[in-house]
Structures are given as structure tokens and as C-alpha cells.
Amino acid sequence: MKNQTEFKSKFGMLAAAVGSAVGLGNIWKFPYVVGTNGGGAFLIIYILCVLILGFPALITELSIGRMAKTNTLDACGVVSGKKCWNFIGAFGIISAFLIMSFYFVVAGWSLEYIYQTFATNSFDGIDTPALQELFNTFAYSSYRPYLWLFIFILTTSIIVSMGVQKGIEKASKVMMPMLFAIIAILAIYVAFLPRNVGGYRFYLDFDLSKITFPVILSALGQSFFSLSLGLGAIMVYGSYMKEGNVVGISFQIALLDTLIAVLAGFVIFPAVFAYGIAPGEGPSLAYIALPAVFSQMPGGLIVSLLFFALLAIGALTSTISLMEVLTSNICEKWHFSRQLANLIVTMLALISTVLCCYSMADGSKLIIFGRTLFTLFDDITSKFFLPLGGMAMAIFLGWGINKDKLRTSLAEFGMKPIFFNIYLIFVRFVIPITILMVMIQQK
Ligand code: PHE
């Protein structure tokens, strides 16, 4: 029974965790956020967020999971012996549900564009206004986003219902190396395009004047979102870890996730500039500017397929971890079989995802605080819920449990004794105070 809920190998654990981290946040969102928020200056702030907050927060979340060896709703209570800390897990469940609701919609778009690559012979003869039209008609007034999100949810739930070793670990071990290979091939190909230099320059143009507090908050939110922190996705994988060094794995996750995000920009911007296309802002970068590139590029069909497959694979390993957080909790809390728990989560995901997708449709009445459910969920989770969740976990490990117990556990998980005090300063002070300061400044 116990073996069922543990990863078989260290590599499997790493692939699953990196799979959770690397996703739409890296490939779809990161490049345009950097491009519009100060380029190289934003990149430095982002990397600082990953090193100072993300990396210790990863250690924290993995350690809580590994110490507790149980579902995320009970984890903090089990580790501290005080049930009052269980609110952290409950808060994470809400975040996981909200993220899942909009994430599946964008994930589904990647399948549409794989289909469109074939249907239009890699967007042959379609100019930018027509591509904009194609995107709008598809996303806001057709039935097809619903079809794709349905397929995406189904694929995710089949993998999750197959279990930790046979489903999640196996799938991640195949998909993650594929993802790395695809992005490396694309980055190399793009590096040889003529007139691509403007793209690198635009991407990394160092503009300090754009760095304001809201921009720092978005770097912070983006780093937590990209590392899958603050909701229990990393915690649940930590609970399936039977061996390996927590500090080392956390560093590898942070490094690989950041590498893929930066590389995605190195693929997108030089390609867009090489063909004189305006790098649009927001979602249109991947779904409008890039297809315009693929329509002109030699080998555009293959490159387009590779790119949208990259998006789909990245998204799938992330939706797996989102669904696993919910499924494993229902499964263990109510003693349901994994399949039944997963069926319940799948039904709930279908309802909330369809609502999110509908809220974006032309003429939709589902607008809250002037925003579609889609942007509302995206904004509140990455800007508030995830950093607050990460902060609560840091406060929990820093102040909520016995220091000697923490020292012993972390030593067991591979933390060198000399680093313990430094780590303690981070979880007790640096993470909570920095996150709080950034949030207060936002108001
Ligand atoms: N980290 C994923 C991405 O960058 C998104 C995600 C967030 C996945 C939280 C799981 C949990 O796309």
C-alpha cells in the first residue's frame, strides 16, 4: 500500500516536480511578461525572486510534504501536532481549484493550434489581422475551446487515475525529456535565422524605469506560479518522495524551470523579429504573432507543430499536478478509491472550466468586478493566493514547529548543518517580510 504512493526513482520524482513547474507559465506567459515589463531589468528581479524566495519556499514545501507523508489538508497538522495549521492546506485547495479552472482553457488552445497547423498548412497566406480574427472567433465565439478543454481534462484525469507510479511518474519521465529536447531544437533553429538580433535586444533590453512595485509584485507572483508554489502541488510530490536530497532537488527544480522560461523567450522574440512581426502583448504573442512567423518560415509546419506540442506537453504535466492535489486529498480524506476521487475532481473541473471559458465569450454575462472569471482567477491566485500560501508555509516551518525537530528532519533530507541557521532566517524573516512588504506596497 505504502509503495503505491511513493515515486519509484529520484529521476521520476524530479521529472514530475519539474513537470509541474514547467508549463504555460514558462512558455506562454513568461516571455510576454518580461517583454512588456522592463526586459533584462525584470529578468534580474525575477531571478532574485526565485533565488531569495522561490528556492527556500521549494525546500519548505517539499519538506512539509516529506515530513507529513500524508495529504495536503492534514499535512501541517500532522507535522506540528496542531490542527489549527491545517488552514494552509485548505487555502491551497482553493488556489488549486481556481488555477485549474483557467489553466485547462489555455491548455486547450494549444490543441486547437496543432489542429490549425494542419488545417491551414501552417497558417499559409494568413496575415496578422486575419490571425487575430482566427483567434478571436475560435476563443470567444465557437464551441471548439470546449471540445479541446474536454480532451485535455480527460487526458489529465486518465493519467492521474492510473496512480502515482504508473500514471504520473511514467508520463513525466517520457514527457519532460521530450519537452527539453523540443525547446533546445527550437532555440537553436531560431538562433540561425537572419535578422533575429532585434528580438534578443527587445527581450533583454534593460529598462529600469519600468520597475515599479506592481511590476515587482508581478515578478513575485510569476515566480510562485511558475514554480507551482503555495498551494500544495509541490507538497504532495514531497509526500511521495522516499529518497533524495530536498535541497538539491529544490535547486534543480528552480534552475530548470527558470532555464525553460528564459529559453522560451529566446525562441519567441528572435523568431518574431526575424520576420518583422510586431510582438503583440498578452496571449496574442504565442497565438497570433508566432503563427504569422510560422506561415513564412522555412519548415514552418514542423516548427509550428513542435512549438504547440511544447505548449501542450508543458501544460499537461502541470495539469496533472493540479489534479493530483485535489484527487489525493479526496482519496485519503474520505477513503475513496483513486478512480472515484478522480472522477469527482474531473466533474468539478469540467464545470468550473466551462464557466471560465464561457465568461470570456462574446456577450457573456459572467463578469465579476469588471473582469472575466478567467482573468479574475489568474490575477488573484498568482498575485495574492500563491504568495500568501508560500508565506504561510514558511511561517509554519519557521515558527510553528519545534526547532530541533526541524533541524533533525532537514538533516535527514540532506541539508548540511551549517545551512540550517541561514535557512531558518529565510523562513522566519526573509520570506514573510518580503512578501508582506511587496503586498502592502501594492495597495
Ligand atoms: N507552474 C505551472 C506553470 O508554470 C502552473 C502551476 C501552478 C501548476 C501551480 C501547478 C500548480 O505553468
Side-chain angles (χ1 to χ4, degrees), residues 19-26 99 103 222 224-229 231 233 257 314 318-319 321-322 386:
S20 170
V22 172
L24 298 170
N26 306 59
I99 293 179
Y103 206 88
Q222 172 67 18
F224 271 65
F225 182 81
S226 190
L227 294 170
S228 303
L229 283 169
L231 52 77
D257 184 68
S318 297
T319 51
S321 78
L322 285 165
L386 300 188

Side-chain angles (χ1 to χ4, degrees), residues 1 70-71 74 327-341 344:
M1 178 68 204
T70 185
N71 61 80
D74 292 325
T327 303
S328 59
N329 274 298
I330 295 187
C331 190
E332 284 182 30
K333 274 231 87 77
W334 288 301
H335 306 290
F336 286 173
S337 71
R338 172 170 276 272
Q339 286 71 23
L340 178 60
I344 297 171

Side-chain angles (χ1 to χ4, degrees), residues 149-278:
L149 69 84
F150 180 73
I151 294 177
F152 223 99
I153 292 179
L154 205 66
T155 314
T156 309
S157 76
I158 290 173
I159 295 172
V160 171
S161 68
M162 284 162 74
V164 176
Q165 291 187 357
K166 295 209 177 88
I168 302 174
E169 185 169 357
K170 254 200 183 142
S172 309
K173 270 162 62 176
V174 176
M175 287 195 282
M176 288 322 286
M178 249 160 76
L179 183 140
F180 276 82
I182 295 178
I183 201 160
I185 293 170
L186 290 177
I188 293 169
Y189 181 77
V190 164
F192 286 104
L193 291 175
R195 298 179 306 279
N196 58 6
V197 188
Y200 294 107
R201 220 176 274 143
F202 174 85
Y203 183 36
L204 297 177
D205 179 34
F206 198 94
D207 186 356
L208 255 188
S209 70
K210 290 214 177 122
I211 303 300
T212 55
F213 262 105
V215 170
I216 297 178
L217 181 66
S218 64
L220 173 71
Q222 172 67 18
S223 65
F224 271 65
F225 182 81
S226 190
L227 294 170
S228 303
L229 283 169
L231 52 77
I234 292 295
M235 194 187 289
V236 79
Y237 284 177
S239 76
Y240 301 153
M241 218 176 146
K242 65 166 183 241
E243 51 180 352
N245 177 327
V246 165
V247 182
I249 287 209
S250 300
F251 189 74
Q252 286 167 344
I253 299 171
L255 185 75
L256 293 173
D257 184 68
T258 307
L259 182 76
I260 296 286
V262 173
L263 267 183
F266 282 144
V267 170
I268 295 176
F269 289 110
V272 165
F273 273 73
Y275 289 94
I277 312 269

Side-chain angles (χ1 to χ4, degrees), residues 49-73:
C49 285
V50 171
L51 284 177
I52 299 174
L53 305 169
F55 172 48
L58 275 169
I59 300 178
T60 305
E61 217 178 306
L62 276 178
S63 302
I64 298 176
R66 197 159 161 195
M67 283 158 98
K69 285 255 160 218
T70 185
N71 61 80
T72 62
L73 273 172

